[in-house]
Amino acid sequence: RAMELPPGHFSAARAAAAAVGYLRYLRGGPGCGLRLRELRRARRQDIDDVGHKYYLDLELEDVLDKDRTVSCTAEVLYHLGSKTSAPDVQLTVQGELRSTEEADKEFYNRMRSLEKELVAENIPDSHGNVPPELEPIHLLAWVASGYVIWQNSTENTKFHLAQVKHVQQVKRNDEDLQFDFVLLLHEMVSQ
Amino acid sequence: LTSLFPLQLDFWLAPRRLGRPVDIRVPFRSLQAVKAHLEASGVSYSIMIEDVQALLDEEQTEMLRSSRQRSVDTATFNYEAYHTIDEIYNFMDMLVAENPNLVSKLEIGRSTENRPLYVLKFSTGGTNRPAIWIDTGIHSREWVTQASGVWFAKKIVQDHANNEGVASILETMDIFLEIVTNPDGFVYTHTTNRMWRKTRSKHAGAICVGVDPNRNWDAGFGDAGASGNSCSETYHGPYPNSEPEVKSIVDFVKSHGNIKAFVSIHSYSQLLLYPYGYTTTPAPDDKELNEVSAKAVAALSSLYGTQFEYGSIITTIYRASGSTVDWTYNQGIKYSFTFELRDTGRYGFLLPAKQIVPTAQETWLALKVIMEHARDNMY
C-alpha cells in the first residue's frame, strides 16, 4: 500500500528535511553536525483518516567526520488536516555515530573559562566564513533550528538554517550553559 | 619568569643583561600572575600593546581590503572571492579590452534604480548565429552564481585562446552571458540585507518593495506557484514583464530570434531542472530534456562527486508560475534549463568563497553538455 517515490521528487525531499531536523535536535551537539548526504529511497502511504506517511532510507554524515557515513531509516507522518501539529518522526540509526564526549567536554570547559559571556553574530558571515572557534556554536544552532524545523514542517515546507543572526550566552548561577539564538530560517517552497 | 612554562610567555625582546628592557607578550589568562610576580619583585613595567589580537584582526581586515583592490587585468583577478558590482563590471570591461575580437559588452536595458544591464557576447563572427544564453544572479542573494558567471566568462576566453573546450562551439554559435542579472538586488545584498532575493521595484499600491524576477515571466503568470502579495518573496508583480530586468531579456530574446539554448542559474539545492513549473502537463520534449539532464549531471558529478537531482521544475522542487525557462521554452527555445548550484543547505546562500571555483568548474562541464547537444541537434 506504500507507493514508491522517485528520490528526486519534491515530497520525498521535504519529508527528509523534516526528519533531519528532528535528528539534529535529538543527536546533534557542539561536536556533531549531521547532514543528509543522500536520500536513497522514499515511499509514501496515504492512511485514511490519519494522514500521509513517508518511509525514507537516508544516508547521513557528520560534517566533522566526513569519511564516514551512517544509514538511517525514518518514518515521517504528517497528520491529516493539521496545521498546528508537528509531524511524527520515528528514526532508526544503523550503526554508531562517532562519540563526541571529548569534543563536548572541551567545548564546555572552554565556555566556562570565558571571562565574559559569549556574543557573536552572522554565522556564517556574508562570504560563508565561520571562525573555527565558533563552529561548535554553529552546530548548536543546528540543534536548536532542528527542533524548530521539525515542529513547523508540513508537506509544503522545506526548511534550512540560513544563518545565525545573533547568539548570546546567558549568565547562569549553576553549571549549565545557556545560549539565546536569533536564527534565520530559509523556507524553500515559499522562499 | 622564563622558566615558568605554564605561563606561556612569549619574549619578543629576550632578557640580555641588567638594565636592558625585556618585551613580553603575555597570554590573557597569565596576566594576573605576571603582574603579581613583577610587582612582588619590584620590577617596573608598562603596557606597549593592550590587545595584540585586536591589532592582528585589524591587519587581517586591511590585508583583505587591499587584496580586493582593483586588479588591473583578468589574469590577476581573484576568482576565489566574492566581488562587488563595481568589481564585476570592471572585470567585464577588462575582459572586453583584452579580447576585443571575441568579447563585446551589450547594454540590454536599465534596472529600476537605473543601473545598466550588461550582457557579454562571445562571438567569432557571422551574422546572428544560433546562440546560447546563460544568466546568473537573477536572485541577488545567490552569490555563488554571479561569481560562477565571472569564472565562465574567463573560461570561454581561455578555451578559445587554447582552441579547446567551447572553442568548437564558438565556431558556429554565439554565447551570451548576463552575469549580474539583478544589479539592484545585488547591491542591496552588499549594503543592507545579504538575504535579499527580489528586484527593488516599488509598484503603485504595493506595500513592500521588490518583485520575484523568476515569477514575472509570461508563462502561467499569476497562477498557483507565485504570490500576489508584494511582501512575499515570490511576488509575481503587477503584470508580466513589469520588471525591467525581465523585460530587457524578453526584448533581447525576441529580437535576436535565434537562441537555441537558454540556461538560468540559481542556487542552492543541487538540481538541474527543465520546464514546466506552472503545470503538471509534461513538456512535449520532456524525454529529450530528461536525457540531456542525465548526461549533464553525470558530467558535473565526474569532477568532484557533487550529486545533483534532475527533472521538471514542478516534480522536483515545487510548482512555480511565471518562471524564466517556462517562458523561454514556450517561445520555442527547446533547450531551456535552470540550475540550482551548491550546496544542499549546509551553508545555503552563504556558500564559502573557497567553493566558488570548484562549483563553477563542475557546472561548466554540465553547461558544455547542454551547449554541445544544442549544437549537434540544431533545430
Side-chain angles (χ1 to χ4, degrees), chain B residues 154-348:
Chain B
K154 180 63 174 171
K155 181 64 173 162
I156 295 170
V157 160
Q158 281 172 335
D159 274 9
H160 178 258
N162 299 325
N163 199 22
E164 60 186 14
V166 297
S168 59
I169 291 173
L170 286 167
E171 281 168 16
T172 53
M173 299 181 81
D174 293 342
I175 300 175
F176 291 98
L177 174 63
E178 186 174 8
I179 298 175
V180 189
T181 305
N182 178 4
D184 297 348
F186 189 55
V187 169
Y188 201 70
T189 60
H190 277 273
T191 58
T192 313
N193 180 354
R194 175 63 179 81
M195 295 296 176
W196 190 259
R197 162 185 168 90
K198 300 187 287 183
T199 62
R200 292 292 303 162
S201 63
K202 182 82 159 56
H203 292 282
I207 300 171
C208 293
V209 172
V211 167
D212 184 344
N214 199 23
R215 300 290 187 281
N216 188 239
W217 301 71
D218 200 0
F221 179 85
D223 290 352
S227 173
N229 183 335
S230 68
C231 300
S232 166
E233 295 280 37
T234 55
Y235 176 48
H236 48 58
Y239 52 85
N241 307 328
S242 62
E243 304 312 285
E245 295 82 357
V246 170
K247 177 114 188 1
S248 55
I249 302 176
V250 169
D251 291 344
F252 179 84
V253 167
K254 281 180 162 169
S255 72
H256 185 280
N258 207 16
I259 294 177
K260 298 303 176 188
F262 191 105
V263 183
S264 192
I265 302 187
H266 293 255
S267 76
Y268 58 94
S269 286
Q270 293 176 201
L271 304 170
L272 176 49
L273 307 167
Y274 50 82
Y276 286 113
Y278 72 90
T279 172
T280 52
T281 307
D285 302 290
D286 183 282
K287 187 164 176 296
E288 185 185 355
L289 295 176
N290 193 271
E291 285 165 4
V292 175
S293 298
K295 239 180 119 194
V297 154
L300 187 153
S301 175
S302 70
L303 195 55
Y304 296 111
T306 307
Q307 299 295 321
F308 266 57
E309 294 287 350
Y310 59 94
S312 70
I313 296 167
I314 196 167
T315 59
T316 311
I317 190 171
Y318 42 55
R319 185 181 285 261
S321 61
S323 73
T324 310
V325 297
D326 283 358
W327 179 81
T328 59
Y329 182 75
N330 285 346
Q331 291 297 300
I333 302 176
K334 183 168 34 154
Y335 303 116
S336 289
F337 293 94
T338 295
F339 278 82
E340 294 276 359
L341 303 186
R342 289 192 194 184
D343 59 13
T344 54
R346 178 173 178 191
Y347 291 98

Side-chain angles (χ1 to χ4, degrees), chain A:
Chain A
R1 255 177 35 230
M3 188 183 72
E4 197 79 28
L5 291 172
H9 196 271
F10 67 77
S11 58
R14 292 175 196 178
V20 170
Y22 180 69
L23 176 68
R24 284 181 177 170
Y25 160 61
L26 277 193
R27 306 288 283 266
C32 173
L34 293 164
R35 190 197 140 239
L36 179 67
R37 201 188 243 200
E38 200 185 321
L39 174 56
R40 286 250 190 73
R41 189 178 175 206
R43 285 167 301 151
R44 174 181 141 158
Q45 189 184 18
D46 292 350
I47 307 173
D48 288 340
D49 301 325
V50 178
H52 298 156
K53 193 171 196 186
Y54 291 81
Y55 298 85
L56 308 169
D57 286 354
L58 309 172
E59 192 185 304
L60 308 164
E61 75 181 19
D62 181 349
V63 297
L64 300 177
D65 184 24
K66 284 201 223 177
D67 294 331
R68 246 187 339 142
T69 62
V70 169
S71 294
C72 170
T73 56
E75 288 175 19
V76 180
L77 171 63
Y78 296 103
H79 292 280
L80 196 68
S82 175
K83 296 271 171 72
T84 51
S85 78
D88 290 341
V89 184
Q90 306 274 1
L91 291 169
T92 311
V93 178
Q94 267 103 48
E96 278 299 303
L97 289 171
R98 141 191 166 279
S99 165
T100 59
E101 211 183 297
E102 237 187 83
D104 291 346
K105 235 166 146 191
E106 204 201 295
F107 171 73
Y108 179 81
N109 290 333
R110 188 154 62 82
M111 288 296 116
R112 294 278 289 176
S113 74
L114 290 180
E115 283 245 333
K116 274 198 327 212
E117 286 73 36
L118 179 123
V119 180
E121 23 182 59
N122 293 337
I123 306 168
D125 67 15
S126 285
H127 296 233
N129 297 319
V130 178
E133 67 273 13
L134 288 180
E135 186 61 27
I137 297 283
H138 189 206
L139 297 181
L140 264 187
W142 280 17
V143 176
S145 63
Y147 178 80
V148 176
I149 287 170
W150 162 48
Q151 290 289 305
N152 288 279
S153 286
T154 71
E155 281 176 288
N156 296 317
T157 64
K158 188 164 184 285
F159 284 101
H160 293 280
L161 174 64
Q163 192 180 39
V164 180
K165 273 319 269 180
H166 190 83
V167 56
Q168 170 82 57
Q169 185 179 0
V170 178
K171 197 178 168 80
R172 290 181 69 100
N173 295 323
D174 57 22
E175 303 202 317
D176 290 351
L177 294 179
Q178 180 178 340
F179 299 93
D180 284 354
F181 285 97
V182 177
L183 302 175
L184 266 187
L185 296 180
H186 176 224
E187 203 289 288
M188 183 72 70
V189 182
S190 62
Q191 289 290 351

Side-chain angles (χ1 to χ4, degrees), chain B residues 39-161:
Chain B
E39 279 158 25
S41 317
V43 178
S44 64
Y45 65 88
S46 63
I47 298 171
M48 293 169 68
I49 303 172
E50 272 274 345
D51 185 348
V52 175
Q53 189 59 51
L55 264 192
L56 290 175
D57 291 343
E58 219 182 279
E59 183 191 42
Q60 176 81 313
T61 315
E62 200 36 63
M63 275 169 58
L64 278 175
R65 198 179 302 140
S66 63
S67 78
R68 298 179 65 79
Q69 243 139 51
R70 201 166 266 210
S71 53
V72 292
D73 56 38
T74 65
T76 55
F77 186 87
N78 186 0
Y79 297 90
E80 297 179 352
Y82 290 111
H83 290 274
T84 63
I85 195 171
D86 290 337
E87 289 164 355
I88 295 177
Y89 279 16
N90 178 244
F91 163 85
M92 289 188 216
D93 289 337
M94 293 194 297
L95 195 72
V96 170
E98 292 163 17
N99 305 278
N101 294 325
L102 179 66
V103 196
S104 53
K105 184 177 85 172
L106 313 172
E107 186 176 320
I108 62 168
R110 294 234 147 197
S111 69
T112 292
E113 292 174 352
N114 206 30
R115 293 188 172 85
L117 301 166
Y118 290 134
V119 172
L120 291 177
K121 175 182 179 182
F122 300 85
S123 178
T124 58
T127 313
N128 197 235
R129 280 181 175 168
I132 293 144
W133 167 283
I134 301 168
D135 64 73
T136 54
I138 194 168
H139 285 144
S140 37
R141 62 188 177 192
E142 298 166 8
W143 276 19
V144 73
T145 70
Q146 298 95 336
S148 293
V150 168
W151 187 92
F152 297 154
K154 180 63 174 171
K155 181 64 173 162
I156 295 170
V157 160
Q158 281 172 335
D159 274 9
H160 178 258

